[in-house]
Amino acid sequence: MSQILSSLSVWFHALATVVFIGHFVLLAGIYLPALSKNGTALSAISKRSRPWMYASLIVLMVTGIYLTLVDPNYQGIGNFNNFWAVMMLVKHILILAMIAMGFWYNAILRVGPMMSSNNPEQAIVRFRKYVNGMAVCGVLVLLLTALAQVE
């Protein structure tokens, strides 16, 4: 039973990672450059992606907690005596920074709704900074995950 649960957790964790990080990488590399003059379309993409982003974060949290607890490298909360634990710490600090960045740009600056206004240029510039930052952080999260697995 634990093999099935672990396999399902890895699968859902990977799927949620693809949704969350893949969204920002594709947005930064393909959609934003192609739609950089269309604030309404970018705003719609931002609005429609929100439930997917929240769902993927919940799946990442639930499966991540389980996968951490069953990982043989995990030595307890606050114990960073091995390379894996240090990589996981840095990775999770980066993920918290991504969540904070998302809150700042979406809840405080309200960049998504600003892009569908009559003068979206400033909002699109802010949105570009946000998306590029999230894409870079996401790629770094993947790198840290890979480094932790190589030990």
Side-chain angles (χ1 to χ4, degrees), residues 35-87:
L35 298 170
S36 64
K37 302 293 183 208
N38 191 338
T40 304
L42 290 171
S43 180
I45 289 170
S46 178
K47 184 177 180 180
R48 287 178 157 233
S49 67
R50 208 166 293 131
W52 289 93
M53 298 296 99
Y54 295 148
S56 66
L57 283 173
I58 291 167
V59 170
L60 285 168
M61 184 178 67
V62 170
T63 58
I65 290 169
Y66 173 76
L67 291 170
T68 297
L69 293 174
V70 299
D71 195 298
N73 291 305
Y74 178 65
Q75 298 175 358
I77 294 175
N79 188 339
F80 305 107
N81 290 334
N82 60 28
F83 183 74
W84 178 88
V86 172
M87 290 298 102

Side-chain angles (χ1 to χ4, degrees), residues 4-19:
I4 292 171
L5 187 56
S6 291
S7 295
L8 286 173
S9 293
V10 168
W11 178 55
F12 279 117
H13 200 78
L15 186 60
T17 301
V18 167
V19 169

